[in-house]
Amino acid sequence: MTNPVTPPVPSEGHGVDFPHSAIGRVLFWIAVVFSVFQIVTAAHVIDLSSQVTRAFHVGFLMLLTFPLIAYSRNAGGALRVLAWALALAGVAVALYQWWEYEPLILRAGRPLDRDIVIGVIALGVVFAAAWAMMGLALPLIAGGFLAYCLFGEYLPAPLNHRGYSFGQVIDHMAYGTEGIYGIPTFVSSTFIFLFILFGAFLEKAGMIRLFTDVSLGLFGHRQGGAAKVAVVSSGLMGTISGSGVANVVTTGQFTIPLMKKFGYRPAFAGGVESTASMGGQIMPPVMGAVAFIMAETLDVAYVEVVKAALIPAILYFLSAFWIVHLEAGRHGLSGLSLSELPSPLDALKKNWMLLVPLGVLVYLLFGGYTPLFAGTIGLGLTVLLILGGSAAMNLPEGVIRTIFWVALGLVAAGFLQWGIDVLFAALAVLLMWCALTRGGRQTLILCRDSLADGAKTALPVGVACALVGVIIGTMTLTGAANTFGQFIVSVGQSSLFLSLLLTMLTCILLGMGIPTIPNYIITSSIAGPALLELGVPLIVSHMFVFYFGILADLTPPVALACFAAAPIAKAPGLRISMEAIKVAAAGFVIPFMAVYTPALMLQDGGPLAEAIGYWPAVAYVVAKTGISIGLWGMAVIGWAGRPLGWPLRALAMVAAFTLIAALPITDEIGFALTALFGLGVWLGRRRQTA
């Protein structure tokens, strides 16, 4: 009989898969080569200019995207031919950028006719790839911006611009580092790809099982333990994968059925998993791809982004934990039996080595090393552990195996003294060792598969980054951000809250059709400078946009994460979305509170910090936010150790919203209402026990 808490094999959640055919093997090996190319350029084994690296990155994306989608959707012969034609066109563009690299620099701003033709092809294949991969929403938005470049001079003031020729627009968008090869593509071709590979290798090595076993052992036996396991395990895995929707369909395969088995409503189970999975993008140390783009855009150390995200992320997951605890109390849902739960200590003893790369990654990120270096080392150590574990299986247990691990650890640590070459030398030795043994060859196959899976997972992110460069290019060419920014500033002069509300709605509306990354890039480039002009610290304004870009995947009517959970939970996606909004309440509250009190994101500034000091302000706003979250949970669930009637629930909700506001005396009113609510709950319990 199978263990009831053993996770099933997760299914693929990336929308496309390698077909089981000769073409599938070709695409599989292209994906492997893509990953190897990204690793060797990141590690400077091969040194190419940044422009050429970005061009090859986009070329590989095009080469994989079109055929994979055509074959995975069983397209007809004509469409398959078209897919290969577009794929090869994308490769041709990359080769042209490489071959003509120096001449293109010398004639920048004066493109030849053939440059314009190649540029049109480059834009065409990127638009087509985004359409095939993500639907029409993002291409339509980017197309609108491109049309504005070409025809915006005919619009009435203040929407018009001075006008640009067709050649100028194509040259700006398809060459240099302002259009499709801009900062988003740079980040995709470096940090993002490496961290996706890092997550793919850890997943293959058993990190999901480790996180799940530890979560089950720590929380599975407590009230509502199944949902608490989902919050913790999905949050932990989210810090590695950085992909909310993909996380839903991997860890959700286990956590959602587990929650349903122990009495949680299907829609609520799906909402909990969706909320926790999306929260992984804001949970340090790895966070999602947006964090790297934010650091690059703001020109700050990655650790500064992590610092700003730390307290809000903890509050986000504590809020989800609190909501599921209340839901379990309301419905009398007990935990799992201790006899069928794994031991967290045993799980850590057995697989503690999987935490080593993550620990080193955190150390390097906080130690001031670049994310690119930290990601390369983290990936290298993960592969070293996988290969080393296979090699150690061929050694006798006891002293010899211990000596092997100690020696391997010392060699791995040598990168701090002698550089990354030491790590590559150790990997080369282990590769040869594993190639000579049967078990070792199986491990090499696992590593090869991880390379292919990582490249495949990176496709939607990379394509989105390339296309969103068109939007950024429009901003830099025409200054279009100023128009909307001035509108936000004019609104904010009468009410900062209305400006924030307008920005939030923009993020959520955009998020209904496009992923978090382009959503963040578009709205931050428009709203970020405007909010800065209104006195909001720059990193806080970008985190504000980041949060609502993520929450868009939980918000009706699109709610991508919730619809991904729907077939697993066997509940309507919209119903799951409504439950997810309740669970993710903190995510809607924290960005607003951080704007008025930047200490919540460990940033200087704000009237409270000036009045009582920085650290007292941090402690105060965290406590106030915690109370607000607690009140919100009791209000929406209707439980505080006993059922709550609507008068008390309404009182809790008003108290929570009053604490969120940052107006004179609202805190005093909020605390008074909180005390009144507490008195009402206490009196109700006394009447119940009398």
Side-chain angles (χ1 to χ4, degrees):
M1 185 175 177
T2 58
N3 188 331
V5 296
T6 301
V9 177
S11 65
E12 282 293 344
H14 312 305
V16 294
D17 212 342
F18 297 106
H20 299 287
S21 63
I23 291 294
R25 299 306 297 171
V26 170
L27 293 172
F28 177 89
W29 281 106
I30 290 173
V32 172
V33 172
F34 186 13
S35 291
V36 171
F37 168 78
Q38 294 293 161
I39 292 169
V40 296
T41 52
H44 297 289
V45 176
I46 296 176
D47 273 317
L48 297 172
S49 70
S50 178
Q51 178 73 28
V52 173
T53 301
R54 299 181 205 191
F56 279 151
H57 177 74
V58 175
F60 270 116
L61 291 172
M62 300 302 105
L63 182 58
L64 272 175
T65 296
F66 291 111
L68 266 180
I69 291 176
Y71 283 88
S72 65
R73 296 178 184 173
N74 294 317
L79 285 176
R80 292 185 180 186
V81 171
L82 176 62
W84 279 111
L86 291 169
L88 294 175
V91 173
V93 169
L95 293 174
Y96 185 80
Q97 292 264 10
W98 169 61
W99 186 258
E100 291 280 308
Y101 172 62
E102 289 186 7
L104 282 170
I105 292 175
L106 293 174
R107 60 176 180 262
R110 303 184 307 277
L112 303 176
D113 288 344
R114 69 169 184 268
D115 296 336
I116 295 174
V117 171
I118 295 295
V120 170
I121 293 171
L123 287 169
V125 294
V126 169
F127 269 91
W131 181 13
M133 180 66 71
M134 288 168 284
L136 271 174
L138 182 56
L140 284 175
I141 293 171
F145 276 85
L146 187 60
Y148 178 73
C149 285
L150 295 169
F151 308 112
E153 61 182 305
Y154 303 112
L155 294 175
L159 299 176
N160 62 331
H161 56 69
R162 67 177 182 83
Y164 305 93
S165 68
F166 183 77
Q168 280 180 290
V169 173
I170 298 301
D171 184 55
H172 187 80
M173 296 298 177
Y175 299 100
T177 57
E178 294 294 339
I180 59 177
Y181 303 115
I183 286 178
T185 296
F186 167 70
V187 177
S188 173
S189 66
T190 51
F191 315 144
I192 295 175
F193 199 99
L194 277 183
F195 279 88
I196 287 173
L197 274 181
F198 180 60
F201 273 92
L202 281 178
E203 190 174 320
K204 290 282 186 183
M207 186 61 91
I208 290 180
R209 174 63 65 89
L210 173 61
F211 284 158
T212 302
D213 284 352
V214 170
S215 304
L216 279 167
L218 290 176
F219 303 106
H221 61 287
R222 301 184 183 277
Q223 176 179 300
K228 291 174 180 176
V229 167
V231 172
V232 175
S233 62
S234 296
L236 289 172
M237 196 58 209
T239 66
I240 303 300
S241 71
S243 174
V245 176
N247 206 18
V248 168
V249 296
T250 50
T251 56
Q253 293 282 347
F254 163 61
T255 57
I256 292 175
L258 184 66
M259 285 186 275
K260 290 173 62 179
K261 176 182 176 182
F262 284 86
Y264 282 99
R265 293 173 289 117
F268 186 82
V272 169
E273 177 58 42
S274 301
T275 302
S277 292
M278 293 308 299
Q281 295 184 68
I282 58 171
M283 174 58 79
V286 177
M287 303 175 65
V290 171
F292 299 108
I293 296 176
M294 188 186 301
E296 194 69 27
T297 302
L298 299 179
D299 194 23
V300 299
Y302 180 72
V303 68
E304 292 299 315
V305 178
V306 169
K307 185 177 78 171
L310 183 60
I311 291 176
I314 292 171
L315 289 171
Y316 180 94
F317 280 98
L318 285 177
S319 170
F321 209 79
W322 174 241
I323 295 287
V324 301
H325 178 79
L326 293 173
E327 178 79 3
R330 180 185 176 192
H331 295 284
L333 305 177
S334 58
L336 306 165
S337 169
L338 278 172
S339 60
E340 59 179 341
L341 292 175
S343 164
L345 196 58
D346 288 346
L348 287 172
K349 283 180 178 178
K350 185 178 179 182
N351 293 300
W352 63 269
M353 70 287 297
L354 292 177
L355 299 176
V356 172
L358 188 57
V360 172
L361 182 73
V362 173
Y363 169 78
L364 293 175
L365 287 173
F366 280 81
Y369 292 89
T370 66
L372 184 60
F373 179 77
T376 305
I377 294 298
L379 177 60
L381 289 178
T382 304
V383 179
L384 196 73
L385 281 173
I386 294 172
L387 297 178
S390 177
M393 294 298 292
N394 296 305
L395 298 174
E397 291 188 27
V399 177
I400 294 179
R401 194 175 291 187
T402 302
I403 292 173
F404 169 81
W405 280 114
V406 171
L408 191 62
L410 291 173
V411 171
F415 76 87
L416 287 171
Q417 182 67 33
W418 296 291
I420 202 169
D421 291 343
V422 175
L423 197 57
F424 278 124
L427 286 170
V429 172
L430 287 173
L431 282 169
M432 289 186 288
W433 188 336
C434 289
L436 298 175
T437 61
R438 183 175 180 180
R441 286 191 288 272
Q442 291 297 317
T443 303
L444 292 179
I445 290 172
L446 180 143
C447 292
R448 180 203 65 190
D449 292 350
S450 297
L451 290 171
D453 285 345
K456 185 179 64 174
T457 305
L459 293 180
V461 176
V463 170
C465 284
L467 184 56
V468 85
V470 172
I471 297 168
I472 302 300
T474 300
M475 303 290 187
T476 57
L477 183 64
T478 66
N482 292 336
T483 304
F484 188 71
Q486 287 168 3
F487 175 65
I488 292 178
V489 170
S490 65
V491 172
Q493 287 172 347
S494 58
S495 172
L496 175 60
F497 179 78
L498 287 178
S499 288
L500 295 174
L501 197 63
L502 179 63
T503 305
M504 180 194 77
L505 292 174
T506 302
C507 293
I508 290 176
L509 286 170
L510 282 174
M512 289 180 182
I514 62 177
T516 306
I517 292 172
N519 187 349
Y520 160 75
I521 293 171
I522 296 167
T523 48
S524 65
S525 60
I526 294 173
L531 293 177
L532 178 66
E533 194 170 333
L534 292 172
V536 181
L538 189 58
I539 198 166
V540 174
S541 67
H542 279 248
M543 290 296 293
F544 184 93
V545 170
F546 184 13
Y547 258 82
F548 287 110
I550 289 170
L551 293 170
D553 280 339
L554 301 176
T555 308
V558 177
L560 292 177
C562 299
F563 278 92
I568 307 172
K570 294 181 173 59
L574 286 177
R575 193 173 298 170
I576 291 174
S577 176
M578 298 308 297
E579 297 291 341
I581 289 174
K582 291 194 298 186
V583 180
F588 291 91
V589 169
I590 288 168
F592 283 92
M593 298 189 76
V595 167
Y596 291 105
T597 313
L600 185 61
M601 290 186 177
L602 298 178
Q603 303 299 305
D604 295 329
L608 183 64
E610 293 174 5
I612 65 175
Y614 177 68
W615 286 110
V618 171
Y620 177 80
V621 72
V622 169
K624 188 177 78 160
T625 308
I627 293 170
S628 177
I629 289 168
L631 290 166
W632 170 261
M634 289 182 281
V636 297
I637 301 299
W639 180 264
R642 70 174 187 85
L644 297 179
W646 280 108
L648 278 178
R649 293 175 73 173
L651 179 61
M653 194 168 291
V654 172
F657 280 114
T658 309
L659 289 173
I660 294 169
L663 303 172
I665 78 164
T666 51
D667 281 5
E668 291 84 348
I669 294 172
F671 286 125
L673 293 176
T674 301
L676 187 61
F677 171 77
L679 179 63
V681 172
W682 180 72
L683 291 173
R685 283 184 179 173
R686 285 199 63 182
R687 285 195 297 269
Q688 198 173 35
T689 56

